[in-house]
Amino acid sequence: MPRLKRGPHEFELHKGADAEKDQSYVLHGIKREVLPHLLFPVGGFVKAEIRELAREAGLSGVADKPDSVEICFVPSGDHTDVVRRRRPEVAAAGVIAEKDGTVLGPHDGIDRFTVGQRKGLGVAAGRRRFVLEILPETGTVVVGDPEDLQAGGLVASRINWLTDVPAEPLRCAAKIRYRHPGVPALVTPTVDGGAVVRFNEPQAAVTPGQAVAFYDGTRVLGGGWIERAMN
């Protein structure tokens, strides 16, 4: 869980004490005006401490409960089944192809792939291939070499700021997926409510549709949704 702190002028959203269980990345979209009304009572603890508190309270079922490793609303572990029930159009067959258009084989739906994926592609290319791009309009999954995954930045939309909107480019850390450590970047807000993000060093597997969150140390400054990667 994240933490709330009272700053000099307002409440701030911060990373939780337990880096392995921190959820601040997925909460970047909370509205700024709501922060004073939120409670995150376990944000200052690590999981082992919570288990010990539960044990002391006689809640052995909680204290010894195994960690969940699946998506909470997909108890079966098969996220593809959930996606296809809600969005059956993504199950349309297509092809897996190299950047030059060489077709390596068919697939039964783009919902089985994500940018950066290496395993489970279902084709034999003779060398390691990674998903570089997914083209929904044609059902094509483009694959290539690991170095092709590197991007110098990204364009994001629908930015939700938990601070005043920066009047000039902002240097901060940008986190592009849940397990990403966050890296130094320059964030430039755009007039349409988006942002252009330039990394200090290229990053792999910048994925349209995923979130990007901005941090100053442990504080969440805001975030939005990745539209496309940039070289």
Side-chain angles (χ1 to χ4, degrees), residues 15-230:
K15 293 180 181 179
D18 192 336
E20 289 298 312
K21 301 298 180 182
D22 175 48
Q23 299 292 317
S24 63
Y25 165 77
V26 298
L27 295 176
H28 71 269
I30 289 177
K31 295 304 179 185
R32 186 180 182 184
E33 61 268 21
V34 174
L35 291 180
H37 307 288
L38 298 179
L39 293 173
F40 296 113
V42 300
F45 297 87
V46 298
K47 186 65 173 285
E49 292 173 321
I50 295 299
R51 289 188 183 278
E52 185 56 33
L53 288 172
R55 195 168 287 111
E56 292 173 0
L59 302 174
S60 58
V62 175
D64 301 319
K65 184 179 180 180
D67 284 353
S68 173
V69 295
E70 302 295 345
I71 303 174
C72 61
F73 55 86
V74 189
S76 68
D78 186 359
H79 75 274
T80 301
D81 177 63
V82 174
V83 171
R84 291 190 175 186
R85 280 191 280 109
R86 292 177 176 268
R87 295 285 302 278
E89 70 275 13
V90 302
V95 298
I96 300 172
E98 297 280 3
K99 290 194 303 178
D100 64 5
T102 302
V103 174
L104 300 179
H107 68 75
D108 67 351
I110 59 174
D111 53 325
R112 296 193 183 278
F113 303 92
T114 187
V115 173
Q117 179 178 335
R118 177 174 68 87
K119 296 181 178 180
L121 299 184
V123 295
R127 59 194 189 281
R128 293 192 308 163
R129 309 319 279 153
F130 294 78
V131 175
L132 305 180
E133 190 176 10
I134 299 169
L135 306 175
E137 61 275 12
T138 62
T140 302
V141 176
V142 182
V143 299
D145 297 314
E147 55 266 27
D148 294 327
L149 284 170
Q150 300 295 316
L154 61 88
V155 174
S157 65
R158 294 172 287 161
I159 302 296
N160 178 66
W161 290 101
L162 296 176
T163 67
D164 293 338
V165 179
E168 57 187 32
L170 172 69
R171 292 204 173 274
C172 61
K175 185 180 175 77
I176 59 173
R177 52 185 168 272
Y178 180 69
R179 290 296 182 185
H180 187 253
V183 294
L186 182 68
V187 178
T188 304
T190 56
V191 295
D192 60 356
V196 174
V197 181
R198 282 288 181 187
F199 307 122
N200 286 16
E201 299 288 341
Q203 298 298 302
V206 175
T207 306
Q210 289 189 350
V212 56
F214 310 132
Y215 292 83
D216 178 10
T218 63
R219 185 183 181 185
V220 184
L221 302 177
W225 300 97
I226 299 171
E227 294 293 332
R228 61 182 176 87
M230 299 188 306

